[in-house]
Each structure stands twice: as C-alpha cells, then as structure tokens.
Amino acid sequence: HLSGKRSSKAERAHSAMMNADMDAVEAENQVELEEKTRLINQVLELQHTLEDLSARVDAVKEENLKLKSENQVLGQYIENLMSASSVFQTTDTKSKRK
C-alpha cells in the first residue's frame, strides 16, 4: 500500500514536471512566433520603402533627362544669340587679330 502512494506521488510529480516543460516550450514557441511575425512585418515595410525609393529614383532620372534636353536647347539658343550679336563678334575678331 505504501509503495502505491509513492508511485502516485511520483507520477503526479512527473506529470507536473511534464506540464511545466510543455508550458515552457509553448511559451518559447509563442515568443519565437511573435519574433517571426515582427521580422516579417519589418521585411514587408522595408520592401515597401525600397519600392518607394526605386520609384523616386526613376522619377528623378526622368526629370534629369528632361532637364538635360532643355539645357541643350538653351545652350544652342544662347550660342545662336552670341553668334548673331555684334558684341561677341567683335570680341572674336579682336582675339583673331592677336
């Protein structure tokens, strides 16, 4: 009879330890799941930021090409004005005499 009591106490103690271990594992799994979720959300946020930056770079490239083209037109216009102006022609003539 006495060994039966010890056996059931030992079983209860073992069962309690198993439950505690299972609770610890479950808590650890929950922490890991929360960490994974946090990391996934962070990756998604970084992907969206990268997409936004990429779109901005494309827009800036387009604007840069447009401005380059406008600068070429203005440069040609200024060159034409300078060649048509007597002030610049006189300067050119003087420099040729030297």
Side-chain angles (χ1 to χ4, degrees):
H1 186 264
L2 203 56
S3 67
K5 272 190 173 179
R6 283 187 199 153
S7 175
S8 69
K9 279 185 182 178
E11 287 174 3
R12 283 195 301 259
H14 180 71
S15 178
M17 285 175 52
M18 291 293 288
N19 286 340
D21 286 346
M22 288 174 57
D23 289 345
V25 167
E26 190 175 313
E28 189 176 317
N29 286 343
Q30 183 64 30
V31 168
E32 286 180 15
L33 181 62
E34 288 171 2
E35 179 68 8
K36 284 180 183 178
T37 301
R38 187 186 67 76
L39 289 172
I40 288 170
N41 287 335
Q42 190 176 11
V43 165
L44 290 173
E45 185 179 330
L46 289 171
Q47 281 179 335
H48 291 126
T49 301
L50 181 59
E51 288 170 0
D52 292 344
L53 289 172
S54 182
R56 178 70 180 129
V57 165
D58 290 343
V60 168
K61 280 182 180 178
E62 266 185 53
E63 184 68 15
N64 186 37
L65 288 173
K66 180 180 168 189
L67 291 172
K68 271 186 181 180
S69 176
E70 289 176 7
N71 282 344
Q72 285 177 338
V73 169
L74 288 173
Q76 187 63 47
Y77 177 72
I78 290 169
E79 196 176 301
N80 290 344
L81 285 177
M82 288 172 60
S83 67
S85 169
S86 60
V87 173
F88 290 108
Q89 286 175 356
T90 306
T91 305
D92 287 345
T93 309
K94 288 179 185 175
S95 67
K96 285 179 184 175
R97 287 183 195 159
K98 291 183 180 178

